[in-house]
Amino acid sequence: MMKKHPNLHKKLHALYTLRVNPQIRSNVDLARQLGVSRQAVSRWCKGTSTTQGDSIPDYQLVPFANAFGIDPYWLCTDLEEFETAIKSKLVAEKSGPVIKEQQISTATLPITDLNILGRKSELSSLNHFWQNPRTFLVQITGFGGVGKSALVNKWLSDLSAENYRYATRVYAWSFHWQGHSSDMKSSGDFFIEHALQWFGDEDPSAGTPWAKAVRLAKLIRMYRTILILDGLEPLQYPPGNRAGEIENPAVALLIRELASEINGLCIVTSRLSITDLERFQDGRVETYNLGNLKDDEGVQLLRNLGIKGDRRVCTQAVKSYSGHPLSLSLLAGYLTVVHGGDVREFRQLRSLLDERRHTDDVVGLMQVYLGWIKNNEAAEILYIVSLFDRAVNLKDVRRFADIANIPLLTERSRDFGHEDWRYCIAFLKEANLISAHIVEGDLVLDCHPIVRDFVANHLENSSRDDWVESHSVIFEMLQKSAESDPDSMQELEPLFRAVIHGAQACRYEEAFGLYFEKIKKRQFSISTEASHHADHTCLRAFFEREWDTPCSRLPEESQVYLLSSAATNLIYLGHIEEALGPSMRSISWFKEHGMLEEAASAAAPLVSMLIATGELDQAIDLMVDMEEAIELTGNKLIKAVANNFKGYAYYLMGDNNSARDYFQMSEEVITRLAPLSCENYGTISSYYCKFLLDTGSPQLALERSLKTFAWRKRKSWQVNVDTTSMLGSDLLVLGLIFMQLGDYINAKKYLNMQVNLFRSADEWLYLPTGLNSRAKFLMRVGEFDAALSDLEEALEISAKTGASLGQWEALIERAHLENIKGNKEDAIKFLDRAEEMPGMGSYRFRANEIAELRQQLS
């Protein structure tokens, strides 16, 4: 292995003998100067069983060099060259002071944030290469927006704090910034002349381009130089036969000259690797392909940009944009401006092009890439891949090319052979426009979110008819590939995607029919197997103005169904204010048109929402308003479910006698073995089970709860309509029942299950109740820190969503926690906050508990 600082022991001896610093004459003196032990200096020279000798640690190198007034670079040279440099230094000092004026020019580099993340190893490597006399050039490659310029800026900033570590010339030139091409075709020649002038050439315009390049290389070598060439790709050939070659001969010659020798370091950044440098890859040139950020680094970037929210959701956002720094910055800008920095809304950004403040950056970036492939047959493949909303199997891309008769997308690809496909995929990969991976034996293609958004937008605006027809083809393909009776999210996913593509193809009625019959199965709520966010994206495709104006091409009844479905979806996701309008409109329309069962179905989630948001009185008013309509349906099951809601409302009000009456009427119908009338209406068990538990009947509560889970196992009619909130609530109550009965193992199991379920489904309105319930258990078993964490999260989420019931209960539980810990003053403060919350006076179901706690605290 090549030694970092060869003959270090002899070099130290020379420094001591020649009295380079009269105060340092031995290892002991040096150790005292640097604040290390004498043994440490000895280890630098000799090494140990686990460390290499002849190596000064990077963090000590500059202090060491400063102690003797030498260039750290000298320590990397051979012994003879080192001694010559030392003696020349001493002779020069005896002859009088020689002033080497340091010159710096970095103004042309793009302005970037110096607080970069995830690049520690790259920064360390750049420091190593600067100190290594055998490395002359470093090329940093990577997709646009990955942070190449930011890395170089950060390195230069760190170096400037140390006076550039003995560099006497620091010169930086940027050929473009994020895709904005130079206005001059001869930008390379202009750079050569500018650099010649800056380095002191007497006549920068004289001679041929080659002669200028040779003169510039000689001038650069005269000084200890850091040369930065940022964004070289405008001067390189695009992907193809000559991909990466430098088109400007003078710049190509200069870079080859510097790769062979430079008194310092040249750093080049580009989206393409420089093929001219292949023969120098023997240590003289080093290449770094800068990748995207890791998940935790991406999350920290979002945090640094002011984004707030659950770490798990932040990680989902990072994964959605592949950890690409520019994409995450665009996302953070959108979230900050539109949603107050709430990461839960990251899926609301349909396209990175919607982040208007940086649209020019994205457009400029992508125009360069599209320019590369404009006349290449691979462009058709990129267009097809970008139309799919996620990674796509090569078989599906080829099937699209076979089916579609769209000249812009399939004129050449329709007749591709195997070699043609291989060439095009390799070409696009080389251009960093797509990725290709083998997944379960199949080749899967994907493109960067910025690429997908820009190319799809470009097609829609420049060739609208082709764009619509393309989505129509994908709509047909996805329908044919979907399961006829899906019962899992994996099986539902092709249908969700098909609906979106169908809407983009303007086949609204067909897309709605697929959504209504196959996905929602004529219900307003999504099933436990599906995803609220997938449903949310699907619904957006049908609205001309979000949550207010459904697609006018659909029949009025379909539009109202979409309003009610959107309201239910928004409720689950915690968008309370947005949900209220479409919910009330749909209920009123159904009642006016005699669709009373539909009105009752639409009202149920609204009642639950009003209860959760602290509007118990409004929830009761709505139930009273719906009584006549429910009676007119003649449907005993719907009436039983309504009685269940009324029983729960009376329980919350503290009227247990009335609650028991309504629950019993409901149970007479719900627990029968065969349905009386309607199987397509959801039944709720958790309300009654919670009532039994809180009124002193935990064993009855357990029996009733287990009966519900037995229904699920048998797929009984009572759970034909099942939602995540229903399942999560049943798990929650079962966990509390086990806690009350002293079975802490099962209590922990089910309380963890319900929190994880609410989290994974993004049920933000009901998650605070789940966290509060688990915190109650954690306090019972003495895990106070974990309980505190759950309660703090419940308070944070409740404040954002408006879930006042969850917030109120979290404050009560927090008062209990502080009381247990002996912090009575804090307990009183939290209890006061709970009792002062507006609108919570109607919730009397914990009145005795609160009074008892108040008595303890007084």
Side-chain angles (χ1 to χ4, degrees), residues 622-640:
L622 178 58
M623 285 188 275
V624 171
D625 184 61
M626 290 298 300
E627 283 179 351
E628 181 181 359
I630 290 171
E631 193 67 38
L632 289 172
T633 64
N635 189 313
K636 293 183 180 181
L637 180 56
I638 290 178
K639 189 172 182 179

Side-chain angles (χ1 to χ4, degrees), residues 57-73:
D58 287 345
Y59 71 93
Q60 286 287 5
L61 189 57
V62 172
F64 180 101
N66 289 340
F68 293 102
I70 65 173
D71 189 332
Y73 164 79

Side-chain angles (χ1 to χ4, degrees), residues 650-687:
Y650 277 110
Y651 153 72
L652 293 175
M653 292 169 63
D655 185 350
N656 289 338
N657 291 328
S658 297
R660 185 174 288 104
D661 291 341
Y662 279 109
F663 277 132
Q664 287 177 351
M665 285 189 287
S666 175
E667 287 292 292
E668 287 178 7
V669 176
I670 291 175
T671 57
R672 292 190 181 184
L673 292 178
L676 285 170
S677 51
C678 175
E679 295 187 12
N680 289 321
Y681 203 87
T683 63
I684 300 173
S685 298
S686 59
Y687 291 167

Side-chain angles (χ1 to χ4, degrees), residues 611-612 648 651-652 690 694 732 736 766 768-773 775-776 779 791 794-795 798 803-816 830-831 834-835 837 840 843 845-846 849-850:
I611 290 172
Y648 187 57
Y651 153 72
L652 293 175
K690 185 69 161 60
D694 288 353
L732 182 157
L736 291 176
Y766 303 117
T769 300
L771 290 165
N772 291 331
S773 299
K776 188 190 295 283
M779 284 188 280
L791 293 175
L795 285 169
S798 298
S804 297
L805 178 58
Q807 185 177 2
W808 180 69
E809 292 204 275
L811 290 169
I812 294 171
E813 299 301 340
R814 185 68 189 275
H816 278 301
F830 283 110
L831 193 57
E835 293 189 305
M837 281 185 63
M840 299 308 297
Y843 294 78
F845 69 106
R846 300 185 71 169
E849 174 193 349
I850 292 171

Side-chain angles (χ1 to χ4, degrees), residues 137-154:
L137 188 145
V138 177
Q139 58 172 335
I140 303 172
T141 62
F143 185 77
V146 82
K148 301 182 293 292
S149 301
L151 173 65
V152 172
N153 272 334
K154 171 63 175 172

Side-chain angles (χ1 to χ4, degrees), residues 499 503 508 511-512 515 538-544 549-551 554 562:
V499 169
Y508 293 105
F512 175 80
Y515 177 71
C538 224
L539 285 163
R540 289 174 78 174
F542 288 112
F543 277 81
E544 294 172 1
T549 309
C551 175
L554 288 170
L562 288 168

